[in-house]
Amino acid sequence: MEKEIRDLFATILQITPDEINDDSTPKTVKTWDSLNHLNLIVAFEEEFSIDIEPEEIKGMMESFKKFKSIILQKTG
Amino acid sequence: MKIDHIGFVVKKIESAIERFTNVYGFAVQREAIYDTSQHVMLAMLVSPNSYRVELIQPVDKESPSYDFMEKGGGLHHFCYCVSDIESSIIGMKRKGHLLIKRPVEAPLLDNRRVAFLFSKNDKQIIEIVESREE
């Protein structure tokens, strides 16, 4: 599951999966801006058939670790 | 849906007001205020033929439009008037929109409630504002 998350995350941000780790943030990943963050949310909702609440969206931009944990929590 | 205004992100709201009024002939409808919920300075201008432009200056990184400003700013969103904000959100979610901010009162818009959505098709931010009660 973690690999699927990393792969989709990388695809949307147009980078390679090995460019992402748990410490990745919008500061370290150039293409992770607020607009692409919304593209990520949409892609993950569709791919994993989950609903992400408005209150969760901003926090998921904290780090890849945080992003991943919320996706795992919803798909678990 | 009727358009209430167009949101335009700027780096310095005072110089933008000066530019829009002196160069493009807009009038100031609402002086700049600080919107605590969005961490932005906001001002409303109106063109001679009644188009409204909301100038938005993000003040810190907590603002959702901060990195948009860092990339140069400019046209940011269309804001549409709706009669019932809750049912409009449900309808727009069914028609390809992601809700990104639940309804909250907007000081610049007479404390009418606004919500923000993201169009999955157009990859654009949309604001909706409830109409004034008659």
Side-chain angles (χ1 to χ4, degrees), chain B residues 64-114:
Chain B
S65 48
Y66 187 85
D67 62 4
F68 186 84
M69 176 193 73
E70 290 282 276
K71 289 182 174 176
L75 290 176
H76 183 261
H77 67 263
F78 281 74
C79 176
Y80 295 97
C81 282
V82 297
S83 54
D84 181 335
I85 201 163
E86 272 82 17
S87 65
S88 293
I89 289 169
I90 293 167
M92 289 180 77
K93 283 174 78 173
R94 284 188 188 136
K95 291 176 183 170
H97 292 76
L98 171 75
L99 178 64
I100 55 179
K101 191 170 176 67
R102 292 190 198 280
V104 59
E105 288 184 356
L108 191 74
L109 303 174
D110 305 318
N111 287 328
R112 285 182 289 156
R113 290 185 304 155
V114 300

Side-chain angles (χ1 to χ4, degrees), chain A residues 25-62:
Chain A
T25 69
K27 273 187 183 172
T28 63
V29 181
K30 215 179 205 177
T31 51
W32 191 0
D33 60 16
S34 56
L35 181 62
N36 267 337
H37 186 62
L38 295 175
N39 287 324
L40 283 168
I41 300 295
V42 169
F44 276 82
E45 278 197 344
E46 287 175 358
E47 181 68 22
F48 297 106
S49 302
I50 54 173
D51 284 321
I52 297 169
E53 301 301 324
E55 294 77 13
E56 296 171 313
I57 294 175
K58 191 178 170 190
M60 292 171 76
M61 211 169 167
E62 211 173 88

